[in-house]
Amino acid sequence: MNDVTNRIQGLIDSNDVVLFMKGTKEMPQCGFSSRVAGVLNYMGVPFQDVDVLSDAEVRQGIKEFSDWPTIPQLYVKGEFVGGCDIITEMTLSGELDQLLSKQGVVFDQAAADKIREANA
Ligand SMILES: N[C@@H](CCC(=O)N[C@@H](CS)C(=O)NCC(=O)O)C(=O)O
């Protein structure tokens, strides 16, 4: 494994939920990243944010690592879940709740239900 692959693997191994994004969870720098970070924040999911704008190697490396061409990218318990479109769909369908529950990741179920109610 090369250096950036090692670093990415280390981040994924040491955090249950990792969001590779543009900007930070407090200050996203792109609408797609902002949407995913906003959903996770609202649902009370503890996650590690990784700002690819401050690290060009990781920005390129994560695309090769996941074989996925864009940012954001969400990992849960070592598995790549998807980008903004997929996470949005999974949030609205309840699949994201199911995945988090199955993986033992704590989150606020009432908040997740509220997102769906607001988008029904
Ligand atoms: N449809 C994508 C939208 C994300 C997207 O298009 N990201 C672009 C613009 S922020 C991107 O990462 N481009 C490559 C790059 O900036 O390195 C998704 O579902 O996540």
Side-chain angles (χ1 to χ4, degrees):
M1 268 200 268
N2 66 24
D3 185 48
V4 69
T5 306
N6 269 327
R7 281 201 292 138
I8 289 169
Q9 191 67 60
L11 285 162
I12 291 168
D13 288 345
S14 52
N15 297 280
D16 284 352
V17 183
V18 186
L19 181 63
F20 294 87
M21 62 181 290
K22 292 187 179 180
T24 63
K25 60 168 95 172
E26 291 85 14
M27 204 174 288
Q29 301 288 333
C30 158
F32 302 115
S33 291
S34 179
R35 180 185 283 222
V36 178
V39 163
L40 297 176
N41 279 331
Y42 188 79
M43 285 174 62
V45 178
F47 69 101
Q48 177 65 54
D49 50 347
V50 178
D51 179 8
V52 304
L53 293 181
S54 64
D55 192 327
E57 267 190 4
V58 171
R59 180 175 181 171
Q60 184 52 33
I62 191 62
K63 293 173 189 163
E64 289 162 19
F65 188 91
S66 316
D67 197 17
W68 189 260
T70 52
I71 310 295
Q73 296 192 16
L74 182 69
Y75 276 80
V76 175
K77 287 275 174 105
E79 295 291 330
F80 175 57
V81 183
C84 179
D85 295 344
I86 288 173
I87 301 307
T88 301
E89 270 178 38
M90 288 178 74
T91 304
L92 297 179
S93 69
E95 274 177 278
L96 186 62
D97 306 23
Q98 284 167 20
L99 175 71
L100 294 170
S101 299
K102 188 172 140 219
Q103 297 292 359
V105 176
V106 291
F107 67 98
D108 180 349
Q109 183 67 64
D113 293 340
K114 257 193 204 166
I115 296 177
R116 279 185 290 278
E117 280 162 28
N119 286 279

